[in-house]
Amino acid sequence: MLKYIIKRLLLSVPLVLGIVTATFFIARLAPGDPMDMYLEPQRQRQVDPEVIELMRKRYGLDQPIHVQYVTWIKNVARGDFGESFRHRRPVRDIVAEAVPYTLQLTILALLLDALFGISLGIISAVKQYTKLDKTLTVGSLIVYAIPGFWLALMLIMLFSVNLGWFPTSQTRSMNYEDLTMIGKFLDRLWHLALPVFVLGIAGAAGTARYMRNRLLEVLNEEYIVAARARGFRERTVIVKHALRNALIPIVTIYGMSLPFLLGGATIIETIFAWPGMGRLTVAAVGGRDYPIIMATTTIAALLTVLGNLLADVTYAAVDPRVSYDAPRKR
Amino acid sequence: MKLRRLLGSVSVLATAASFAACGPADDSPDRQSAGPDARGPVTVTVLVPDGDELVMSPVSDTPHKFLMFQPLVARAADGTLEPRLARSWEPSADHTSWTIHLDRNARWHDGVPVTSDDIKFTVELMSLPSVGYGQYYGVEIEVLDDSTFVWRSKRNSPLGDYHSFFPKHVLEKLDPDGFYEWDFWAHPIGNGPYRYVRHLEKTLTELEAVSDYFRGRPAIDRVILKYGSGAGAIPELLASNVDVIPLNAIDVPKVENDRRFQITYKSAFWSGWAGYGIMWNHRHRVFSDPSFRRAATLAIDRPALHSLLHLPDDLPVFDVVFTERQVSEAPEPLPYDPDAARRLLEDAGWVDADGDGVRERDGEELTFTAITDAGQGDRVAVIVQAHLRAVGVRMEIQTLPGPMVVWQTRVKPGDFEAAIFWWNPGVYGTFGPDSFLGYLNEDVHALLEVLQTTQNPAVVDSLYRELWPHFQADIPVTFLVPRVTLFVSDRRLRGLSSPHRGDPVWYMDDLWWEEE
């Protein structure tokens, strides 16, 4: 297994390098110049062209693109993602500030996804073809089909604007500093409620469908028939025999959620003014803030590769039939 | 049953959290709004674009800067300049230097007087390569005494309402190489009507009125700058979490009939051209004919266009460029007159012989492609397309991702027939000898050359007036939609007026709150 992991990690190096290289050149070759922020038409002011040239030099934009690329790779190898054009601060610090906000959101969303998705999938499968199953099937298909941004706006209008139950956006209340520790904790939960629900419920709908189908497949397996024939209670058959096997692919799906955990949810973060990685990336793309674009892309690429590896390894860990070790010679 | 229990638990948890926390923000005591004569503090909450990690960015035009720091002058409701830090100013005869007299009562928030040395220090600091600001290009300051200095510059006037100055006595000993990491930007000491109170990371910055502010204590006691933008802005306003938000024209219908709110705008339709227009490529054999450009302009109902785009009704329509002093003086634009447009086209030989609704001449259809951006541009273009079609001109639309892409990939290299987008390379760049439109008019070029050499307002205005007959004759560009920034605010916030004082942040110290 260790050999397999090392092999996969080594193979992922050129993959990640390929992704970040493509991103680097696409971003640089796309129309738009980061120095245009000095030339916004509404400013109507004379900006010193020498300063613009100085800024180009400072950020290495005066160099040929291949030189910029090599410099960037060297710096990243040292853990230096450079300085943001817009914020004029180290990218590392800016990303470090955004990550906790994204993690709060995505971890809770995944938990909600798992809680609702798996539970409803099991209920649906066990009660196959009943009214409950049909209701859950139609409901999950509808939720799955609803665009997240629309659902978010509708929930804001209903629960924030009309009912006033939840905040419309942001991560905390204006009087956050005056709250007790428990108050602060509850305040954060209060602000997380809507974005987590929107993110989690869409995932849960998909998970529920997947869980239902997988469990139904397993319930038709011969060993389940055998278990029933042996007189085990139905509950034991489902929980001990069927569910454990049905959950195997689900576990791998969550393994592959790693990029989502840190990559954030762009649209939802934007709608709820949530200062996470997704929103940071959108702002960076709009402002041609290359260092941030490259940092977030590199992180996403790394996490995607690691997520896939994690999924494979988890699969092997939970399913004894799967082995990445070479078969023993007889 | 289990499902119901699950859903029930979630809703109970959420409701409990909401009660246990603090309830909606507008329940907080400091959100109580009252008139200036009523008891209790008046707090205005403004939604501002995503906050930086610092309280204010020293090089960006953020609301924080305008509330905490004053420029030398500001624009009055009628567009004229009025004193701020500067009590008075006298330009030299050639308008390349100004003698500025500071208001002797102006103070930093720590009580130290604002002096000429602060102005000189700021200009020199911001001009350092490590700062990379660039907007004091070629500015030299000569200090005459504590409250008098001379500002010399051939290109940058001190009379811009966007300048801000920093306290020398606080910053002079700090290392300029660490400019962007200075703690000062997180705890600024300004000279404006509001002082820094607190900053809640990624959430808000709170400012309070300076009680001994040299222009008088502002009527709005407290300003909260709440961070957020985009799709969440309107819900924030509707939920009464904020009193002021910047508004996209497309969102105007969502609030325009709500009696709680007022819409104001700040315009930038002077000093050249800032807005949407049809940029005709004059190298094109059809568009090189001024009568075609005139016909196309006559065919477009520009006031109706503004209305369809939800822009204010009082936005001007014009065919010339003008300065901020000439907003009401600019000549009458061509009217909407499709019949006149048809006559002009027929006179030029364009007739619809085959009855397909599109005119032809010598077997060639009157068809062209306009490139535009996928923001407001494509909305403008669709309306223009319909108006032109009504007079027998077929305009195809090609949409590109944004104005910058339109400019850099197509217009700047001259690879276009017509373009509907906003970009302002300045009057000289648009209509001068190197006009990206390919506009050829020796008289205009000569006037623009002179315009490049002077800042004297009287001379500048006079040169613009001389340009007007040429523009009226040539119609080098069909101006469509002036560029404006819209704001929607609580109607009880008084003292706002368009087009000069439509931005509540810039003039907060002159506003007041009045219960209806």
Side-chain angles (χ1 to χ4, degrees):
Chain A
M1 174 69 95
L2 184 66
K3 210 170 157 187
Y4 172 77
I5 293 172
I6 292 169
K7 192 178 157 193
R8 282 285 301 269
L9 283 174
L10 287 174
L11 279 173
S12 64
V13 172
L15 183 64
V16 171
L17 201 61
I19 293 169
V20 296
T21 303
T23 311
F24 185 92
F25 285 100
I26 289 169
R28 304 280 160 144
L29 296 174
D33 181 343
M35 294 301 114
D36 277 338
M37 65 180 145
Y38 290 101
L39 300 170
E40 291 170 48
Q42 63 269 35
R43 283 178 180 258
Q44 300 175 10
R45 297 167 223 175
Q46 297 286 348
V47 178
D48 188 347
E50 286 168 24
V51 169
I52 294 178
E53 280 317 302
L54 269 172
M55 296 306 287
R56 272 188 207 287
K57 207 168 177 180
R58 174 171 167 166
Y59 294 120
L61 296 170
D62 59 332
Q63 300 289 318
I65 193 164
H66 63 278
V67 177
Q68 291 182 40
Y69 173 71
V70 172
T71 309
W72 183 79
I73 289 284
K74 277 183 190 167
N75 290 340
V76 169
R78 291 199 305 266
D80 177 10
F81 281 97
E83 184 185 277
S84 156
F85 295 162
R86 180 175 163 235
H87 301 272
R88 304 200 191 190
R89 293 172 61 225
V91 169
R92 195 179 42 224
D93 295 355
I94 294 167
V95 168
E97 283 166 12
V99 163
Y101 288 103
T102 288
L103 281 178
Q104 290 165 22
L105 197 61
T106 51
I107 288 174
L108 285 175
L110 276 183
L111 285 176
L112 189 74
D113 173 344
L115 181 72
F116 275 78
I118 294 173
S119 314
L120 297 181
I122 294 168
I123 293 167
S124 209
V126 172
K127 305 280 181 188
Q128 192 185 14
Y129 301 139
T130 62
K131 275 186 183 170
L132 179 61
D133 174 35
K134 286 173 186 169
T135 308
L136 287 175
T137 300
V138 172
S140 59
L141 283 174
I142 290 172
V143 171
Y144 193 68
I146 291 176
F149 75 90
W150 185 85
L151 181 63
L153 289 173
M154 290 305 109
L155 291 179
I156 288 173
M157 288 309 290
L158 177 63
F159 291 110
S160 305
V161 176
N162 294 330
L163 297 173
W165 290 359
F166 293 102
T168 47
S169 63
Q170 292 198 319
T171 60
R172 61 195 113 185
S173 297
M174 291 195 197
N175 60 348
Y176 181 79
E177 286 165 325
D178 304 331
L179 300 174
T180 60
M181 281 295 281
I182 293 172
K184 282 179 178 166
F185 175 72
L186 292 173
D187 186 65
R188 298 301 286 265
L189 277 184
W190 186 48
H191 282 78
L192 278 161
L194 285 187
V196 164
F197 181 77
V198 174
L199 274 180
I201 203 71
T207 306
R209 299 299 309 142
Y210 199 84
M211 187 68 216
R212 178 185 181 276
N213 294 343
R214 181 64 197 151
L215 189 56
L216 286 175
E217 274 175 31
V218 173
L219 286 172
N220 288 325
E221 294 281 344
E222 286 178 0
Y223 63 85
I224 297 295
V225 177
R228 280 176 177 147
R230 277 188 217 140
F232 287 130
R233 284 190 307 160
E234 187 64 13
R235 187 187 179 91
T236 310
V237 172
I238 289 170
V239 175
K240 273 200 161 179
H241 297 268
L243 191 57
R244 283 178 68 174
N245 287 299
L247 276 173
I248 291 169
I250 301 281
V251 169
T252 62
I253 288 176
Y254 286 111
M256 285 192 282
S257 300
L258 201 57
F260 165 73
L261 277 178
L262 270 181
T266 308
I267 296 171
I268 300 304
E269 285 188 5
T270 304
I271 290 174
F272 286 99
W274 197 265
M277 290 286 282
R279 197 148 163 254
L280 179 69
T281 309
V282 170
V285 170
R288 304 292 193 277
D289 201 339
Y290 296 151
I292 290 187
I293 296 172
M294 291 311 301
T296 51
T297 311
T298 306
I299 291 167
L302 276 171
L303 291 176
T304 305
V305 169
L306 285 177
N308 280 319
L309 177 61
L310 185 70
D312 290 349
V313 171
T314 317
Y315 207 99
V318 296
D319 189 344
R321 292 168 300 180
V322 177
S323 170
Y324 296 116
D325 296 326
R328 285 180 192 167
K329 286 179 185 170
R330 291 186 180 179
Chain B
M1 196 64 185
K2 281 176 187 169
L3 174 69
R4 198 186 302 164
R5 218 179 292 156
L6 257 176
L7 289 171
S9 312
V10 170
S11 68
V12 166
L13 182 70
T15 313
S18 68
F19 281 116
C22 57
D26 60 348
D27 285 340
S28 117
D30 61 3
R31 279 276 309 129
Q32 289 168 5
S33 298
D37 301 326
R39 282 181 210 162
V42 180
T43 301
V44 169
T45 307
V46 181
L47 193 74
V48 298
D50 311 341
D52 204 343
E53 62 293 335
L54 302 169
V55 170
M56 60 168 277
S57 164
V59 293
S60 303
D61 289 349
T62 59
H64 318 69
K65 203 163 92 170
F66 296 117
L67 289 161
M68 288 188 281
F69 294 85
Q70 283 287 274
L72 293 169
V73 295
R75 212 162 279 286
D78 62 358
T80 57
L81 294 175
E82 64 177 27
R84 281 295 190 271
L85 285 181
R87 177 171 45 82
S88 61
W89 53 93
E90 299 112 34
S92 64
D94 62 355
H95 282 257
T96 57
S97 72
W98 290 259
T99 303
I100 313 273
H101 304 278
L102 292 174
D103 192 317
R104 288 175 191 276
N105 296 316
R107 294 276 184 284
W108 296 103
H109 295 158
D110 59 4
V112 175
V114 177
T115 68
S116 305
D117 283 332
D118 292 316
I119 311 296
K120 184 177 170 67
F121 170 77
T122 302
V123 168
E124 289 175 355
L125 171 72
M126 300 301 278
S127 302
L128 290 174
S130 58
V131 172
Y133 183 56
Q135 293 192 24
Y136 292 121
Y137 175 39
V139 176
E140 284 176 23
I141 304 290
E142 182 189 349
V143 174
L144 300 182
D145 62 43
D146 273 358
S147 61
T148 313
F149 65 92
V150 179
W151 174 297
R152 292 195 181 85
S153 172
K154 286 185 179 169
R155 303 181 73 171
N156 272 312
S157 160
L159 307 180
D161 53 5
Y162 41 81
H163 291 305
S164 49
F165 303 96
F166 306 126
K168 181 184 176 186
H169 68 282
V170 178
L171 303 177
E172 66 181 333
K173 288 182 183 157
L174 301 180
D175 177 11
D177 286 340
F179 179 81
Y180 291 98
E181 280 82 47
W182 286 352
D183 182 60
F184 179 80
W185 311 122
H187 300 92
I189 296 169
N191 52 33
Y194 290 90
R195 82 167 84 240
Y196 170 76
V197 176
R198 70 179 175 122
H199 178 71
L200 191 54
E201 186 193 272
K202 315 277 185 192
T203 307
L204 63 87
T205 299
E206 186 173 340
L207 310 173
E208 67 178 3
V210 175
S211 54
D212 55 351
Y213 179 54
F214 69 100
R215 293 184 66 244
R217 190 184 194 284
I220 305 295
D221 300 291
R222 203 165 280 267
V223 179
I224 292 175
L225 301 168
K226 190 176 180 190
Y227 301 118
S229 56
I234 297 273
E236 285 277 15
L237 183 80
L238 296 176
S240 300
N241 292 337
V242 295
D243 302 304
V244 178
I245 62 166
L247 184 67
N248 290 323
I250 201 166
D251 289 327
V252 168
K254 294 176 187 166
V255 291
E256 67 181 342
N257 295 320
D258 193 324
R259 288 185 49 78
R260 291 174 294 170
F261 307 120
Q262 59 185 332
I263 296 173
T264 52
Y265 69 88
K266 184 182 173 192
S267 64
F269 47 73
W270 45 71
S271 297
W273 166 251
Y276 279 91
I278 308 180
M279 309 287 173
W280 305 106
N281 189 338
H282 292 235
R283 303 168 196 93
H284 189 279
R285 59 197 162 76
V286 175
F287 306 150
S288 61
D289 177 6
S291 67
F292 173 80
R293 301 195 297 265
R294 176 173 294 273
T297 307
L298 284 163
I300 300 166
D301 186 350
R302 289 177 284 179
L305 180 65
H306 296 175
S307 174
L308 285 166
L309 294 169
H310 310 299
L311 290 167
D313 295 334
D314 57 344
L315 274 187
V317 174
F318 42 83
D319 293 325
V320 301
V321 289
F322 51 89
T323 69
E324 70 269 30
R325 295 171 294 276
Q326 298 172 317
V327 178
S328 55
E329 195 192 327
E332 278 293 307
L334 288 176
Y336 168 55
D337 189 345
D339 291 333
R342 289 187 192 99
R343 283 196 299 275
L344 274 172
L345 291 169
E346 273 155 26
D347 291 348
W350 294 105
V351 289
D352 181 16
D354 57 10
D356 67 348
V358 182
R359 294 170 188 274
E360 309 91 37
R361 186 172 70 183
D362 304 331
E364 182 196 7
E365 273 202 339
L366 186 45
T367 301
F368 68 95
T369 300
I371 50 173
T372 190
D373 63 89
Q376 189 168 281
D378 48 4
R379 296 174 60 223
V380 174
V382 167
I383 300 166
V384 168
Q385 183 184 46
H387 289 199
L388 290 178
R389 189 59 193 258
V391 298
V393 179
R394 179 189 283 154
M395 184 182 93
E396 306 287 349
I397 300 169
Q398 185 186 356
T399 305
L400 298 175
M404 201 185 287
V405 177
V406 174
W407 167 251
Q408 291 200 339
T409 64
R410 301 291 297 277
V411 177
K412 204 172 165 187
D415 178 21
F416 70 109
E417 292 183 304
I420 298 176
F421 78 120
W422 70 264
W423 185 257
N424 180 15
V427 176
Y428 189 80
T430 309
F431 306 107
D434 298 324
S435 161
F436 68 84
L437 301 173
Y439 175 49
L440 296 172
N441 184 322
E442 295 296 328
D443 295 333
V444 169
H445 294 175
L447 286 166
L448 292 175
E449 292 287 359
V450 182
L451 196 57
Q452 286 288 92
T453 63
T454 182
Q455 288 199 72
N456 184 331
V459 176
V460 169
D461 287 0
S462 155
L463 287 166
Y464 269 88
R465 274 187 214 101
E466 286 187 57
L467 284 170
W468 291 348
H470 298 289
F471 273 74
Q472 287 176 298
D474 293 347
I475 311 287
V477 164
T478 298
F479 296 117
L480 296 171
V481 182
R483 184 165 169 74
V484 292
T485 312
L486 298 171
F487 299 90
V488 57
S489 54
D490 193 301
R491 193 175 283 279
R492 291 169 292 183
L493 187 63
R494 301 296 177 92
L496 292 164
S497 64
S498 308
H500 297 290
R501 290 197 166 205
D503 182 343
V505 169
W506 279 40
Y507 300 101
M508 189 65 80
D509 53 323
D510 286 341
L511 307 183
W512 69 97
W513 192 268
E514 198 171 288
E515 293 294 341
E516 289 182 322

